Amino acid sequence: MRKTLTLLIAALCCITATVAQTARATQMKAEADSMGHQKYLETTDFSDVDSVSMNDLGVYFFLEEDYRSAAVCMELLLDKLVKFGDNYSKKLESLGYIYEKLGDEKNLARIIKLIEENNDHVINLPCHDYKCKIEKAQWLALKGDEAGAKQAIS
């Protein structure tokens, strides 16, 4: 199960790891490069930074393989997103992948719990289209509820 989750997260991260697009993120990246990433992240107030720019800064760090700085950005980003929203779910998966790359088992376990909490919430939402039913069935099957999985797609 963990190997499957890791492969799924890796695929999602590769798909979403695109070049940062916002001017704000580009400016923040330049400031972080001149000051040092860790010092910049520790001393800067990001409360007024929009979620897209925060994500893009994290992507910049991720592409440079500065996974610690990318993790900080993604943690800050989670606080800016609607819990249980689609974007929240994707960022949890990205953050889990980053913690896996870092070998940070404690934070990876925390993120896996948040992913499970998110999935358990989403599984109870109304589901009318085929894609939704398949995703619901896959989640239930992964959790060992084969009867529920069969019911979800019928």
Side-chain angles (χ1 to χ4, degrees):
M1 178 172 140
R2 185 172 173 157
K3 185 176 181 181
T4 303
L5 179 62
T6 301
L7 292 173
L8 208 80
I9 292 170
L12 287 169
C13 285
C14 291
I15 291 168
T16 59
T18 57
V19 178
Q21 300 170 359
T22 63
R24 180 91 187 256
T26 304
Q27 176 191 2
M28 291 188 306
K29 177 65 169 71
E31 292 169 3
D33 286 344
S34 68
M35 183 185 287
H37 297 174
Q38 185 176 359
K39 184 176 181 184
Y40 177 76
L41 292 170
E42 290 171 355
T43 61
T44 303
D45 177 15
F46 294 101
S47 60
D48 68 332
V49 175
D50 63 285
S51 61
V52 173
S53 296
M54 199 75 243
N55 178 72
D56 288 351
L57 182 60
V59 170
Y60 269 135
F61 292 140
F62 181 86
L63 293 174
E64 290 183 354
E65 298 182 8
D66 181 355
Y67 301 123
R68 293 232 176 267
S69 297
V72 170
C73 291
M74 291 298 160
E75 291 281 2
L76 291 167
L77 174 61
L78 286 180
D79 292 335
K80 298 177 180 292
L81 299 175
V82 175
K83 192 170 184 178
F84 302 129
D86 191 43
N87 204 17
Y88 177 79
S89 174
K90 290 175 184 171
K91 298 312 167 189
L92 282 175
E93 292 165 357
S94 296
L95 190 53
Y97 180 68
I98 291 168
Y99 284 132
E100 175 121 21
K101 295 281 282 181
L102 288 168
D104 187 337
E105 294 292 323
K106 181 180 176 186
N107 276 315
L108 178 59
R110 179 178 59 85
I111 296 301
I112 288 173
K113 284 181 184 176
L114 289 174
I115 290 170
E116 289 174 350
E117 176 188 347
N118 182 72
N119 289 347
D120 287 338
H121 172 79
V122 171
I123 206 79
N124 292 311
L125 296 175
C127 188
H128 304 290
D129 64 74
Y130 189 67
K131 180 182 178 209
C132 175
K133 289 179 180 184
I134 292 292
E135 290 172 350
K136 189 175 203 172
Q138 288 172 332
W139 176 246
L140 290 168
L142 218 126
K143 291 191 80 158
D145 183 1
E146 289 187 31
K150 288 177 184 176
Q151 183 181 5
I153 56 174
S154 58

